Amino acid sequence: MKGTLKLIRRFLMMVICIAPILLLLNLILLAVLTWKDRSHNGGWTAAREIGEALTPVEGGGYLLSGEGREILEQYNAWGILVEDGTGNVVWHSDNLPEEIPMHYSAAEISWYTRGYIEDYPTTVGARGEDLVILGHPKTSYWKLLWNAFDYDLIAGMPRILLTFLAVNGLLVFVIYMAVAGRVMRSVKPVIQGMETLPEEDVHVWEKGFLAEVAAAVNRVNEKLRAQERALRKRENARAGWISGVSHDIRTPLSMVMGYAAELEADDRLPAEARKKAGVIRLQSIKMKNLVGDLNLVSKLEYQMQPVRLEDLNLTAVLRQAVVDFINLDPEGKYPIDFQCPEDAAVFIQGDKILLQRAIYNVLSNSQMHNPEGCRIEVRMEVETGAVHMLLTDDGVGVTHERLQEIRNAPHYMMSSGSGTQLRHGLGLLLVHQIVQAHGGSVRIDHGPSGGFLVEVTLQVPGGLSRVSF
């Protein structure tokens, strides 16, 4: 949120900084657009040039040259020549309006030379002692009649400009603070709501600068909460169904296992029948473990299975899981090569039962996928701060494509090809969940002998403790 608010502040500051630059550019553009094509003071120069273009004629009067007539046409002006002393008009252009006087007093000349004659803006020039007056179209010029300024005002202009800039800067700052404060008060709740939206139930007041965005956030929140409730209801139903099935199947499965064990131990039955009873018993044990795994996976997924942490000797846990697996392999089809540093006792905080279950599941995975038997290697490697448990077999293994499916599968309910094809699935999912609950990681890969490899890595805070067995 701080980054977003900082971005908004920078945007507002950028707008404020750009404003003076835009003002300066507009002043320059105004000067360019209003710059007169005519140089040398325009109509004032034209009046002087008209005076120069007048020549006296015999018998009285004046004659305007061709250049003078062109100047009048260029400015669309009329002209008169007022004689010094008498104030009479001794020459005028042919386009002189009728309302223009033909005689001027000294007071009138003083007024007209700086203002207007009958609303015609005037410019003046001298011809000797006489005065040339040009009258321009009424909409051609706007004249400042009182064009005197106080000297102190001119002398203090730098101070006035600095005061002007300071006041404007203060106003810009006040406006920025007011606008920024209002924007922040409107934006901050929306940003906070958007940040907490995925995890928490939020409601943003739908007012201010981002009222529409706040309303959209509230609508998204309602949809998310509705989806969460529906998902929670569906997952609770699934977890309840799994728990119920696990409970209901336990009793008939125990009966099957008990009767199968009795038949397997009955010497009165043929050897073939006792062997089949043994197969039924072993498969029932696998089924029991599978149902247990399913229930445990569900509990771990929804955090209903507490992880009971205690100080554990991980070496002993690994050894016990291997022994339990060997005890369930009376035929010796799955010999295990157990390699562990003789002087290493790795102590961690963990759940003994869950960790043994994870290791046993990896071993059972090799057994399940290699019904003809295979050799299994269990090796522990220790380093500062971590311990690695590598479990590999030299069985059938998996193809590269199948390995990628196992790595990328979100859960055990994955396609397994034909209906008779065994799958790496629920057991490995449970391994992942147990190891993750202990802050570790699981790596699945091809074994060095072409079989299957599972590497479990657990962190050991504070380094490793070594004792002699």
Side-chain angles (χ1 to χ4, degrees):
M1 183 181 70
K2 292 182 179 179
T4 305
L5 295 178
K6 184 178 180 180
L7 180 63
I8 294 174
R9 291 193 184 97
R10 292 175 62 181
F11 173 76
L12 292 175
M13 287 299 299
M14 182 177 64
V15 172
I16 293 175
C17 293
I18 289 176
I21 299 176
L22 290 177
L23 177 61
L24 178 61
L25 292 177
N26 277 275
L27 291 176
I28 295 174
L29 179 61
L30 178 63
V32 171
L33 294 177
T34 57
W35 189 260
K36 293 291 187 180
D37 291 335
R38 308 185 190 99
S39 60
H40 308 299
N41 298 319
W44 299 93
T45 302
R48 177 177 56 79
E49 292 175 348
I50 290 296
E52 296 173 353
L54 288 173
T55 57
V57 296
E58 295 183 1
Y62 294 86
L63 179 65
L64 183 64
S65 67
E67 292 180 357
R69 288 192 293 271
E70 290 179 359
I71 293 174
L72 290 178
E73 291 178 0
Q74 178 182 357
Y75 284 87
N76 194 22
W78 50 262
I80 59 176
L81 178 63
V82 180
E83 187 180 26
D84 182 42
T86 64
N88 293 327
V89 175
V90 294
W91 171 86
H92 64 80
S93 61
D94 296 335
N95 59 344
L96 183 70
E98 295 179 358
E99 66 269 24
I100 302 304
M102 301 302 290
H103 175 80
Y104 298 90
S105 63
E108 290 174 331
I109 290 175
S110 174
W111 173 259
Y112 293 151
T113 53
R114 65 184 177 124
Y116 299 81
I117 299 178
E118 300 297 333
D119 294 332
Y120 291 94
T122 59
T123 57
V124 297
R127 187 188 183 284
E129 299 295 328
D130 299 332
L131 179 67
V132 177
I133 301 178
L134 290 188
H136 300 272
K138 295 181 180 181
T139 58
S140 59
Y141 296 107
W142 176 81
K143 301 185 69 176
L144 180 64
L145 300 180
W146 295 274
N147 54 359
F149 297 93
D150 186 87
Y151 180 81
D152 292 336
L153 177 65
I154 301 300
M157 189 59 66
R159 175 177 53 82
I160 295 174
L161 290 176
L162 290 176
T163 303
F164 173 81
L165 292 176
V167 171
N168 277 269
L170 179 61
L171 288 175
V172 169
F173 177 75
V174 172
I175 293 173
Y176 165 75
M177 294 302 296
V179 173
R182 183 177 179 182
V183 171
M184 295 305 168
R185 286 192 299 271
S186 177
V187 171
K188 188 175 181 180
V190 175
I191 296 176
Q192 290 177 336
M194 294 175 68
E195 289 181 344
T196 58
L197 185 60
E199 293 82 16
E200 301 178 9
D201 186 14
V202 300
H203 179 77
V204 183
W205 289 103
E206 299 177 9
K207 62 179 182 179
F209 183 70
L210 296 178
E212 294 182 357
V213 178
V217 171
N218 290 334
R219 290 195 297 270
V220 172
N221 176 68
E222 293 175 0
K223 291 182 179 179
L224 286 177
R225 300 292 83 81
Q227 291 176 356
E228 285 182 358
R229 289 191 293 270
L231 181 61
R232 191 180 302 113
K233 182 178 179 181
R234 183 168 62 250
E235 298 300 344
N236 288 340
R238 190 182 77 168
W241 180 83
I242 292 175
S243 179
V245 169
S246 300
H247 180 271
D248 293 342
I249 205 173
R250 188 175 298 121
T251 299
L253 191 58
S254 298
M255 294 177 64
V256 172
M257 292 172 58
Y259 286 135
E262 290 181 6
L263 293 175
E264 185 181 12
D266 192 348
D267 295 334
R268 294 173 298 176
L269 294 177
E272 184 66 23
R274 293 199 305 271
K275 183 178 180 181
K276 291 180 179 179
V279 172
I280 294 174
R281 180 182 60 82
L282 291 176
Q283 295 301 319
S284 298
I285 292 175
K286 291 182 180 180
M287 187 181 301
K288 179 182 178 181
N289 291 335
L290 181 62
V291 172
D293 285 351
L294 180 61
N295 195 30
L296 184 56
V297 164
S298 178
K299 289 182 178 181
L300 287 173
E301 182 176 356
Y302 300 108
Q303 299 179 353
M304 295 184 294
Q305 172 68 31
V307 179
R308 298 178 175 86
L309 299 178
E310 57 180 325
D311 291 332
L312 296 177
N313 182 346
L314 189 59
T315 307
V317 173
L318 180 61
R319 191 186 302 275
Q320 184 62 50
V322 171
V323 170
D324 291 342
F325 178 79
I326 293 175
N327 291 336
L328 293 176
D329 180 29
E331 298 180 2
K333 296 172 61 177
Y334 304 94
I336 295 181
D337 180 13
F338 185 80
Q339 300 179 19
C340 180
E342 291 297 331
D343 62 342
V346 183
F347 291 95
I348 66 169
Q349 282 280 317
D351 189 312
K352 178 180 179 181
I353 296 177
L354 290 181
L355 289 174
Q356 286 183 345
R357 185 67 168 274
I359 298 168
Y360 181 83
N361 275 17
V362 176
L363 298 173
S364 298
N365 185 74
S366 296
Q367 183 185 46
M368 179 184 302
H369 292 274
N370 298 279
E372 300 301 323
C374 67
R375 297 189 62 83
I376 301 175
E377 179 181 310
V378 178
R379 185 171 77 255
M380 174 182 284
E381 297 178 355
V382 295
E383 62 182 28
T384 303
V387 58
H388 306 273
M389 294 178 288
L390 293 95
L391 299 94
T392 62
D393 63 52
D394 60 357
V396 296
V398 291
T399 64
H400 181 73
E401 292 75 13
R402 184 62 180 152
L403 182 63
Q404 294 302 318
E405 291 181 10
I406 297 172
R407 288 172 174 173
N408 300 327
H411 52 72
Y412 74 95
M413 301 292 288
M414 66 180 78
S415 174
S416 61
S418 64
T420 59
Q421 182 179 348
L422 297 175
R423 76 173 78 192
H424 297 271
L426 181 58
L428 294 180
L429 173 65
L430 185 57
V431 173
H432 274 284
Q433 290 184 331
I434 292 175
V435 174
Q436 288 176 359
H438 286 79
S441 61
V442 178
R443 180 174 70 91
I444 299 175
D445 207 338
H446 298 290
S449 302
F452 200 64
L453 178 147
V454 177
E455 179 182 358
V456 176
T457 301
L458 296 175
Q459 302 301 317
V460 183
L464 299 178
S465 300
R466 292 180 176 270
V467 299
S468 297
F469 292 105

